[in-house]
Amino acid sequence: MSDAPAERGHGFDRHMLEALVCPVTKAQLRYDAAAQELISRPAHLAFPIRNGIPIMLVDEAREID
């Protein structure tokens, strides 16, 4: 069993990032570990990650420049 934070439920599994795309533009997402967000530059949105789970709802995302 691994001690990686994502596998203990405390972080984000970066391998999941390969399967996720922006729900608005279908573009690839960038993981911001410090902010615990997935960033969609084309949509100008940041989707939060809560308890290791990406919240891919536009209503939950914050707008970014």
Side-chain angles (χ1 to χ4, degrees), residues 11-13 16-17 20 29 31 36-38 47-57 60:
F12 177 67
D13 182 355
M16 186 186 305
L17 184 58
L20 293 175
L29 300 165
Y31 175 49
Q36 285 297 292
E37 295 177 323
L38 295 176
F47 297 92
I49 299 171
R50 297 186 187 127
N51 299 317
I53 300 170
I55 310 300
M56 303 304 295
L57 302 170
E60 294 287 323

Side-chain angles (χ1 to χ4, degrees), residues 30-41:
R30 184 180 60 82
Y31 175 49
D32 182 338
Q36 285 297 292
E37 295 177 323
L38 295 176
I39 308 297
S40 173
R41 293 265 182 228

Side-chain angles (χ1 to χ4, degrees), residues 22 25 27-30 38-45 64-65:
C22 173
T25 66
Q28 287 187 317
L29 300 165
R30 184 180 60 82
L38 295 176
I39 308 297
S40 173
R41 293 265 182 228
H44 301 280
L45 294 172
I64 58 173
D65 294 331

Side-chain angles (χ1 to χ4, degrees), residues 2-13:
S2 173
D3 286 330
E7 294 180 19
R8 290 194 315 257
H10 299 293
F12 177 67
D13 182 355

